[in-house]
Amino acid sequence: MFRLNTQFKYNKKGTTILKRISILGSTGSIGTNTLDVVRKNRSALKVRALSAHSRLETLAAQIREFEPDLVALTDERGARLLKSQINLNGTRLLSGVGSLEELAVDSECDLLVSALSGAAGFLPALAAVTAGKNIAIANKEALVMGGDLIMAEAKRSGSRIFPLDSEHNAIYQLLQGCPNSADLNLIYLTASGGPFLHLPLEAFHTITPSMALSHPTWVMGKKITIDSATMMNKGLELIEARWLFDVNPDQLSVVIHPQSLIHGAIQKNDGSIVALMSPADMRVTIANILSPSQPLNRLGIEPLSLSHLGRLDFLPLDRERFPSFALAEQALAAGGTAPAVLNAANEIAVEAFLAGQLPYLRIPDIVRETLRAHSPKSASAANLILEADLWARTFAHSLL
């Protein structure tokens, strides 16, 4: 279903074949991990472009090290500061929100990595697939908001979409061994359960941002870490998987796996289950797309050993403990603009929680009330999706 287009170009010396990578969101967790994979594969990978919002110090260091041809800063003031602080040495600097879409359609890029956070990734992803660009996507919100539209455009243009989330990347790999969709019965996405898997429900009112940011297995950005605590992240991944793998919602299931070693599994119609296991390190999945068959020790990651694994636990997902996941299921079932509304309301609620303006238990309440007030409409065009997104943000703010 997903195969990387390996039409690479020569570098300026004309002696080494390089895959040219552009990264949207290079200063975040996925972006920095992607650059670490590039760093350890200089003979095969070249950074074409980088983008960030406001982390000037981190971006400046990346520019010095990787010498990209293009850099985009969505923050106009930050772009002016960056230009005054470092010598760009011929690197072209773009600025403003539209700069992300300009990078997304760059003809000199072989593979676009979308490592953006939240709804900001929707328009660049849509622009990329419309232009027929290959895209490795870690920005699940883009497919949550407009999965039907993005996948339709990718099919029309010939764009190939490769999943960078560890769970979706695992399913992507497993489906290579199940090329006949008629043989597929069920897709399992795994979830760690986050920091509150065993916290008594009566203690949930005491949860603070610092408690929710203490994820037991993954090191991630703040927003996705909170989403992992509420299990909204797994709900968003459920919606993403529906579009990525073109399956019915009843073919998707989520199971709690606290050790985070099995990242996904598929059940075939004969009843057998095939799972993928790897260390809980995002560089494993990134390397799978950027540099297949990459030895883990070359990335500085210790490979798993079956004789030293210990126990592997699997638990059903408790929707009373994690009501945000149930809301994502409802939005997927409603279809249309409901998932975009779900995502927007959740972003507002999480932002308020991190700012100390909203109790943890009110996060799903804000999302639920926003969904109830929304009548889903068609999500067949970008403007319809963006209108629903804006409406949901305004409504969720009014609830705060």
Side-chain angles (χ1 to χ4, degrees):
M1 185 181 296
F2 299 95
R3 295 194 182 279
L4 187 58
N5 182 349
T6 55
Q7 297 177 358
F8 310 143
K9 305 281 181 81
Y10 287 95
N11 67 2
K12 293 179 181 179
K13 295 182 180 179
T15 56
T16 306
I17 295 178
L18 295 175
K19 187 191 303 181
R20 293 174 299 182
I21 311 296
S22 293
I23 306 172
L24 301 180
S26 66
T27 61
S29 175
I30 298 294
T32 53
N33 275 309
T34 300
L35 286 172
D36 193 48
V37 173
V38 173
R39 184 180 290 116
K40 294 175 171 64
N41 290 270
R42 297 276 193 168
S43 63
L45 303 174
K46 166 75 169 68
V47 174
R48 163 67 179 170
L50 301 172
S51 91
H53 176 62
S54 59
R55 296 178 184 172
L56 296 188
E57 187 174 335
T58 302
L59 181 62
Q62 292 175 349
I63 293 170
R64 294 187 187 99
E65 179 179 2
F66 295 97
E67 300 179 337
D69 300 307
L70 297 170
V71 168
L73 262 170
T74 53
D75 178 53
E76 299 271 8
R77 180 175 176 273
R80 292 193 294 271
L81 284 173
L82 181 70
K83 195 171 183 178
S84 67
Q85 290 176 2
I86 71 167
N87 184 351
L88 292 172
N89 292 321
T91 296
R92 183 181 166 208
L93 179 62
L94 309 174
S95 62
V97 176
S99 61
L100 297 181
E101 292 171 63
E102 190 171 347
L103 287 193
V105 300
D106 172 34
S107 61
E108 297 300 311
C109 166
D110 296 312
L111 182 68
L112 178 71
V113 175
S114 178
L116 297 167
S117 175
F122 170 60
L123 285 179
L126 180 59
V129 299
T130 300
K133 304 300 298 182
N134 290 334
I135 177 171
I137 191 162
N139 173 239
K140 62 182 67 65
E141 292 87 351
L143 287 166
V144 168
M145 293 174 67
D148 194 6
L149 178 61
I150 288 175
M151 298 309 290
E153 280 299 302
K155 184 177 181 179
R156 180 198 60 78
S157 69
S159 167
R160 296 181 182 275
I161 301 176
F162 304 96
L164 282 189
D165 273 335
S166 64
E167 296 84 0
H168 298 86
N169 185 267
I171 302 304
Y172 155 70
Q173 293 186 62
L174 293 169
L175 289 178
Q176 308 305 310
C178 186
N180 187 351
S181 59
D183 293 335
L184 178 67
N185 182 47
L186 196 62
I187 287 175
Y188 286 100
L189 301 176
T190 57
S192 70
F196 308 129
L197 179 60
H198 301 296
L199 184 70
L201 290 177
E202 57 269 22
F204 269 42
H205 72 280
T206 67
I207 293 175
T208 64
S210 62
M211 292 167 63
L213 289 170
S214 300
H215 197 280
T217 53
W218 294 97
V219 178
M220 306 174 290
K222 288 185 177 181
K223 196 267 182 182
I224 190 175
T225 304
I226 300 301
D227 282 349
S228 294
T230 65
M231 208 60 69
M232 176 61 83
N233 186 56
K234 206 54 53 177
L236 299 179
E237 288 180 1
L238 190 81
I239 300 172
E240 179 186 14
R242 181 265 178 271
W243 297 114
L244 268 178
F245 306 119
D246 191 22
V247 294
N248 297 320
D250 60 7
Q251 289 181 283
L252 296 167
S253 182
V254 170
V255 62
I256 301 294
H257 171 52
Q259 291 83 8
S260 297
L261 294 176
I262 291 179
H263 302 283
I266 61 172
Q267 183 184 60
K268 298 183 180 181
N269 282 332
D270 63 6
S272 63
I273 293 178
V274 184
L276 186 141
M277 184 184 299
S278 70
D281 191 311
M282 280 306 302
R283 291 174 297 169
V284 176
T285 61
I286 293 168
N288 173 259
I289 299 300
L290 268 61
S291 183
S293 302
Q294 172 75 68
L296 293 187
N297 53 16
R298 185 172 170 183
L299 294 171
I301 301 170
E302 186 67 28
L304 295 179
S305 169
L306 285 177
S307 59
H308 296 91
L309 277 182
R311 61 185 289 171
L312 299 174
D313 296 311
F314 301 95
L315 308 166
L317 192 148
D318 183 347
R319 286 162 177 77
E320 180 184 3
R321 178 175 291 271
F322 301 115
S324 290
F325 179 81
L327 293 172
E329 290 181 308
Q330 294 168 23
L332 176 58
T337 51
V341 167
L342 170 94
N343 178 70
N346 179 65
E347 286 190 16
I348 296 302
V350 169
E351 183 180 289
F353 169 66
L354 286 170
Q357 300 168 355
L358 187 75
Y360 177 84
L361 287 174
R362 279 284 289 158
I363 294 176
D365 291 342
I366 296 295
V367 178
R368 183 182 299 106
E369 292 171 43
T370 305
L371 279 173
R372 281 177 178 169
H374 178 67
S375 298
K377 299 177 178 62
S378 168
S380 59
N383 66 304
L384 299 174
I385 295 167
L386 294 175
E387 285 172 7
D389 175 87
L390 179 59
W391 174 87
R393 291 173 189 277
T394 303
F395 188 87
H397 268 300
S398 73
L399 295 176
L400 296 177

